[in-house]
Amino acid sequence: MSAFPQNHWYVAAWSHEVGRSLLARTICNEPVVFYRTAAGEPVALADRCVHRRYPLSLGKLVEDEVECGYHGFKFDCAGACTFVPGQDRIPRTARVPRYSLVERHSWIWIWIGDQEPDLSAVPDAHWLDDPAWGAVRDLTYSPFRHSLLMDNLMDLSHETYLHAGLIGTPEIARTPFTTTVDEENHLVRFSRHMSAVECPPFYAKSTGFKSPIDRWQDVYFEPPSFWVNNVRVAPHGVEPGPNGDDSGAAHVKILHGLTPETEHSTWDFWAVVRDFALDDDSVGDFLLAMNQDVVQQDLDALTVLEQVVATEPPGTQELSVAIDAGGLAARDMMRRLLS
Ligand code: FES
Ligand SMILES: [Fe+2]
């Protein structure tokens, strides 16, 4: 059994990472080589030559074909071998697996699994290139297992302690939240609405709001690979209008594409999008730098935790409490996807 849910879309790359050179990236333990055809289509092939298993990513792109760097076999963008040195006949089995990709809103999603790709199941991340939103983005290579990142994102009470001074304030850990499991849409949601609380530097500097503020975190996770935190911050008492108008508030969405690399490492594609100060690049620069600091704090903590978990005997007990409701629901859904 695979260590990762199969027949799902995972974020494989930012669009700008895939171009006219070969990019090697392991996704769910599968070595993949990415490139873009001259016409601009992204391509993903298994990164192993059928001949002697040399990584194709160490070869070169010749027009739209990959030439193996060892003995020169060539493969087209469907994975079919088109050239074998020293003979005219191309063996029928000379073919490398090709992966299905969807490029949408500046993410390239890859389908991992044997079934037909389900195009209707690509998670919606349109805010990444919607002109109504301003996006800043990054990719953080995370040397720890997917489940540690998932636990981290599904319990934001840790912001109070791990991210104090950036995005964390005392009220987060103190404020009760609700968790719901949406079986129909395969989502886990949690929601925490804080009233008249301190405005952390992350939002004070970007929005200009002063404490006290009302701060909402409405999170959903589409296991295994997509997480969104819908944040609303407003001066205390400013409510959304009856027609849905909420122009007195600032809205931020924090997006994560969580893609396992191996059992012990994860690609974390993340973005911060906002619906305010769209023409002020300094606000985007600030949010990017601030979130890089936040992600680094998680990275430092989870890198330590990976070492702990990896070296403890299997079955070592944890203790779960109320703040773990979201994480436990997400683990449960992941277990079902795996079984
Ligand atoms: S290993 Fe690729 S051509 Fe020999
Ligand atoms: Fe965090």
Side-chain angles (χ1 to χ4, degrees):
M1 189 176 90
S2 168
F4 311 107
Q6 299 290 291
N7 302 306
H8 283 278
W9 295 103
Y10 292 88
V11 183
W14 286 104
S15 284
H16 69 258
E17 294 183 281
V18 175
R20 294 290 291 159
S21 54
L22 301 173
L23 170 74
R25 181 160 290 164
T26 297
I27 311 270
C28 297
N29 274 339
E30 302 188 22
V32 184
V33 56
F34 295 89
Y35 66 95
R36 206 176 274 280
T37 64
E41 274 300 301
V43 177
L45 302 176
D47 192 16
R48 292 291 180 265
C49 182
V50 289
H51 179 223
R52 289 293 178 263
R53 313 292 299 157
Y54 195 64
L56 290 174
S57 55
L58 298 176
K60 66 177 182 200
L61 197 54
V62 180
E63 296 178 346
D64 283 348
E65 300 191 337
V66 182
E67 182 183 278
C68 180
Y70 195 178
H71 316 92
F73 279 45
K74 269 196 200 163
F75 302 89
D76 67 15
C77 41
C81 183
T82 59
F83 175 77
V84 174
Q87 63 184 60
D88 292 334
R89 198 185 66 83
I90 294 177
R92 206 172 27 85
T93 54
R95 164 176 282 281
V96 294
R98 180 188 69 100
Y99 291 86
S100 294
L101 301 178
V102 168
E103 182 166 30
R104 209 172 273 177
H105 310 303
S106 74
W107 268 347
I108 296 175
W109 297 84
I110 190 168
W111 178 258
I112 296 291
D114 295 338
Q115 292 172 10
E116 270 304 293
D118 178 359
L119 289 174
S120 70
V122 180
D124 175 20
H126 72 273
W127 310 280
L128 292 173
D129 65 358
D130 182 334
W133 295 83
V136 291
R137 56 196 71 190
D138 207 348
L139 165 59
T140 304
Y141 179 74
S142 305
F144 42 81
R145 63 195 68 192
H146 175 275
S147 61
L148 290 180
L149 185 56
M150 187 182 76
D151 283 352
N152 172 278
L153 291 169
M154 293 307 286
D155 167 23
L156 295 184
S157 72
H158 80 268
E159 290 183 345
T160 298
Y161 300 95
L162 194 58
H163 306 309
L166 296 177
I167 202 165
T169 59
E171 296 89 357
I172 302 173
R174 252 186 239 151
T175 306
F177 62 97
T178 55
T179 304
T180 47
V181 176
D182 178 345
E183 294 287 357
E184 195 182 324
N185 297 301
H186 303 284
L187 299 178
V188 179
R189 303 176 198 275
F190 68 85
S191 187
R192 179 188 273 112
H193 288 195
M194 296 167 274
S195 176
V197 295
E198 182 188 329
C199 190
F202 195 97
Y203 296 117
K205 289 217 179 99
S206 55
T207 65
F209 295 158
K210 305 223 173 347
S211 300
I213 58 163
D214 296 339
R215 177 179 179 188
W216 299 358
Q217 296 173 326
D218 291 304
V219 172
Y220 67 87
F221 176 47
E222 279 187 63
S225 59
F226 184 55
W227 182 97
V228 182
N229 181 5
N230 297 285
V231 177
R232 176 187 187 270
V233 290
H236 174 52
V238 173
E239 296 288 338
N243 307 320
D245 165 55
D246 197 19
S247 51
H251 304 88
V252 169
K253 293 175 193 289
I254 300 174
L255 281 60
H256 285 263
L258 293 71
T259 304
E261 184 200 42
T262 67
E263 279 95 336
H264 301 280
S265 55
T266 308
W267 301 104
D268 180 5
F269 297 87
W270 59 262
V272 181
V273 303
R274 68 184 191 280
D275 71 348
F276 56 93
L278 298 184
D279 46 11
D280 186 347
D281 287 346
S282 71
V283 172
D285 294 345
F286 170 78
L287 288 172
L288 177 65
M290 199 74 171
N291 210 55
Q292 282 168 334
D293 289 348
V294 169
V295 168
Q296 186 64 46
Q297 289 175 329
D298 287 316
L299 189 89
D300 292 344
L302 298 182
T303 301
V304 170
L305 203 47
E306 173 64 36
Q307 298 311 315
V308 172
V309 174
T311 51
E312 276 183 341
T316 302
Q317 287 296 307
E318 303 172 303
L319 173 69
S320 294
V321 294
I323 56 172
D324 300 307
L328 293 176
R331 286 185 187 184
D332 199 45
M333 207 172 263
M334 283 292 287
R335 258 194 299 275
R336 277 181 283 144
L337 291 180
L338 275 167
S339 64

